[in-house]
Amino acid sequence: MKNILSLIVMLLYGFSFGQNINGNVETENGNSISNVNVYIDGSKIATLSTADGSFSIDIQNQKNGTLVFQKDTYESKSIAINTLIGKKIKVVLNKFKEIDEIVLIPYTEEAYRTYIRYFLEEFLGFDQENVKIKNQRTLKFSYDKKNKILKVKAPKTLIIINKNLGYEIQYNLISFETDFNNHSVSYAGSSFFKEISQKNIVKENRMDAYSGSLMHFLRSVYQKNTAQEGFIVNHIVKIPNQNYPTEEELSRLDDYRKILKTNPTMKLPDDIMKISHRKNNEKPYLLALIKSKIGEEIYTKTLSGNVFIDFKDILQVNFKKYFYNIKKDKIVKSETSTNKSSYLYPEKDIFEVYPDGNCSNPTELLAQGYFSEQKIGKLLPLDYKMGD
């Protein structure tokens, strides 16, 4: 069986579907698959395939998004919408394969509590009273002890209830990986939103989540009004940190660590201890400010009406964030604010920016600082508008 899903696109001559995408979902043997979730990633737009596998979905002008086909026990399929306009499609889904585990963590309540706590903090955020995964026991954990890498897989769609933002999110977790050596976390997936509340407190929380977010920034980049929206963008470069150990010092440190495995009582020389201390407390690179308050023309380009982030270095994005309060049944901006700082690392890659605040290859656009703190607990649908 092939490891990837196959897609057969059939052109319909002489007929246009307008804003609808139509087609059929079936197995590789040609059997129809019913009740497949068909949705635009990150939106509230969705439908189900019928008993004969057919579907029709109104994309509502979302021409730059991704159409997702998802059903438990089958591998999901994601297709760029702009390749489907005016076509009828046949989507072939393969049965879900067993998850490849590096070293499966033996199931114990203690192990589950240890790893689920870490995962939830990195995936959902810290408010797990109001943001919960209903079926989190379906998660699978694997751990590579040698390289200190934790991976989490979800064989079933995660059902996330976010009381703060008033959404139920069906999240198809494709991958989650933590590299403890490099202190990095990355995850990827697709999401579908259902609205469960429209209370004022929910609207207030949504406005707070949106203000200064990566979605807010990318929408401002597309509109070329980042300064008017309150963002200050600076040009940053990496410079070597002279206090970080050299390659030769790191090699010596590694040699002594190998010796310690066979002779754990051996006392390390003072110079090796100092190298270890510098490695653990210093970073290989420091960040240096080249130019402050740069305009969009410095880090973007526009081709045929499409906007791209095209920048070889690092963008520091600062934002003076005001919070919102409810006064006399109205949501108003408070006078209190806090400064938020983020870093984006395009680093020679080019990313197309879409008007809804998304971008091409979003998992490849590395973010640090405030942008990276906005986990699933702060996630908003791509059709969100301020005040909704």
Side-chain angles (χ1 to χ4, degrees), residues 16 35 40 83 100 107 154 184 226 237 241 258 294 300 324 359:
S16 174
N35 295 316
I40 298 178
T83 66
D100 294 328
Y107 182 84
S184 64
T226 52
V237 296
N241 181 1
K258 291 176 182 177
I294 61 175
T300 67
Y324 292 87
C359 67

Side-chain angles (χ1 to χ4, degrees), residues 121-344:
E121 289 178 356
E122 293 296 332
F123 182 65
L124 296 180
F126 290 101
D127 186 2
Q128 292 161 32
E129 286 297 316
N130 295 297
V131 186
K132 295 183 177 182
I133 302 176
K134 293 178 66 175
N135 57 339
Q136 67 185 35
R137 287 277 179 175
T138 62
L139 292 166
K140 302 292 184 183
F141 300 86
S142 63
Y143 187 60
D144 181 347
K145 291 183 179 180
K146 180 180 178 181
N147 297 304
K148 295 184 179 180
I149 293 176
L150 173 68
K151 293 187 177 184
V152 184
K153 296 287 183 73
K156 294 186 177 181
T157 300
L158 299 178
I159 308 300
I160 303 169
I161 304 298
N162 189 338
K163 293 181 181 178
N164 288 330
L165 300 185
Y167 296 117
E168 177 187 293
I169 305 173
Q170 296 180 19
Y171 196 92
N172 181 30
L173 182 65
I174 297 171
S175 65
F176 178 98
E177 181 173 307
T178 296
D179 185 336
F180 290 104
N181 283 327
N182 294 318
H183 309 287
S184 64
V185 177
S186 63
Y187 57 85
S190 59
S191 56
F192 169 65
F193 290 75
K194 291 181 180 179
E195 198 151 19
I196 59 176
S197 176
Q198 269 283 332
K199 295 179 180 178
N200 272 350
I201 185 62
V202 165
K203 292 183 179 181
E204 175 198 336
N205 291 338
R206 291 176 184 176
M207 292 170 74
D208 281 331
Y210 176 76
S211 178
S213 65
L214 180 58
M215 175 192 284
H216 184 187
F217 175 68
L218 291 179
R219 287 182 180 183
S220 303
V221 170
Y222 184 85
Q223 296 293 337
K224 301 186 186 301
N225 64 351
T226 52
Q228 296 91 317
E229 287 293 310
F231 293 100
I232 297 174
V233 183
N234 301 324
H235 181 178
I236 302 290
V237 296
K238 289 180 180 178
I239 59 174
N241 181 1
Q242 300 299 321
N243 294 323
Y244 192 77
T246 64
E247 289 296 327
E248 181 183 350
E249 289 174 323
L250 291 173
S251 178
R252 289 181 59 205
L253 179 62
D254 189 52
D255 289 340
Y256 270 96
R257 283 179 172 169
K258 291 176 182 177
I259 296 174
L260 280 175
K261 289 183 179 180
T262 58
N263 187 10
T265 61
M266 183 188 72
K267 184 178 180 181
L268 291 177
D270 289 343
D271 62 330
I272 297 298
M273 291 290 291
K274 290 179 180 178
I275 293 172
S276 178
H277 179 79
R278 285 160 51 207
K279 180 180 184 295
N280 293 330
N281 292 278
E282 298 284 350
K283 295 181 179 180
Y285 294 93
L286 299 175
L287 300 182
L289 175 66
I290 297 297
K291 188 175 182 180
S292 60
K293 297 183 179 181
I294 61 175
E296 295 94 347
E297 70 279 1
I298 302 297
Y299 56 90
T300 67
K301 65 180 180 182
T302 303
L303 298 174
S304 302
N306 299 321
V307 180
F308 299 85
I309 291 180
D310 183 8
F311 197 62
K312 67 178 182 178
D313 294 320
I314 303 167
L315 298 173
Q316 182 190 48
V317 183
N318 295 325
F319 184 77
K320 190 173 185 179
K321 182 178 176 66
Y322 289 87
F323 295 93
Y324 292 87
N325 295 319
I326 300 174
K327 291 184 178 179
K328 297 180 179 179
D329 294 328
K330 291 185 178 180
I331 303 173
V332 297
K333 182 187 289 187
S334 72
E335 296 180 358
T336 59
S337 65
T338 183
N339 294 319
K340 300 294 184 182
S341 186
S342 306
Y343 296 88
L344 289 179

Side-chain angles (χ1 to χ4, degrees), residues 38-43 45 62-69 77-82 84 190-191 354 356 358-359 362 382:
V38 184
Y39 61 88
I40 298 178
D41 184 20
S43 79
I45 304 170
Q62 300 289 319
K63 297 180 181 179
N64 293 310
T66 301
L67 197 62
V68 179
F69 298 82
K77 178 68 181 179
S78 299
I79 312 168
I81 288 175
N82 59 15
L84 305 178
S190 59
S191 56
Y354 304 133
D356 58 14
N358 200 4
C359 67
L382 293 174

Side-chain angles (χ1 to χ4, degrees), residues 13-65:
Y13 297 98
F15 191 82
S16 174
F17 284 103
Q19 296 302 313
N20 280 10
I21 294 176
N22 301 265
N24 290 81
V25 189
E26 58 186 53
T27 67
E28 61 181 355
N29 295 324
N31 297 321
S32 299
I33 308 176
S34 61
N35 295 316
V36 175
N37 295 308
V38 184
Y39 61 88
I40 298 178
D41 184 20
S43 79
K44 294 178 283 188
I45 304 170
T47 189
L48 289 172
S49 63
T50 60
D52 63 357
S54 64
F55 71 91
S56 179
I57 184 170
D58 183 353
I59 63 172
Q60 301 177 24
N61 294 316
Q62 300 289 319
K63 297 180 181 179
N64 293 310

Side-chain angles (χ1 to χ4, degrees), residues 354-365:
Y354 304 133
D356 58 14
N358 200 4
C359 67
S360 59
N361 301 319
T363 58
E364 301 299 321
L365 183 59

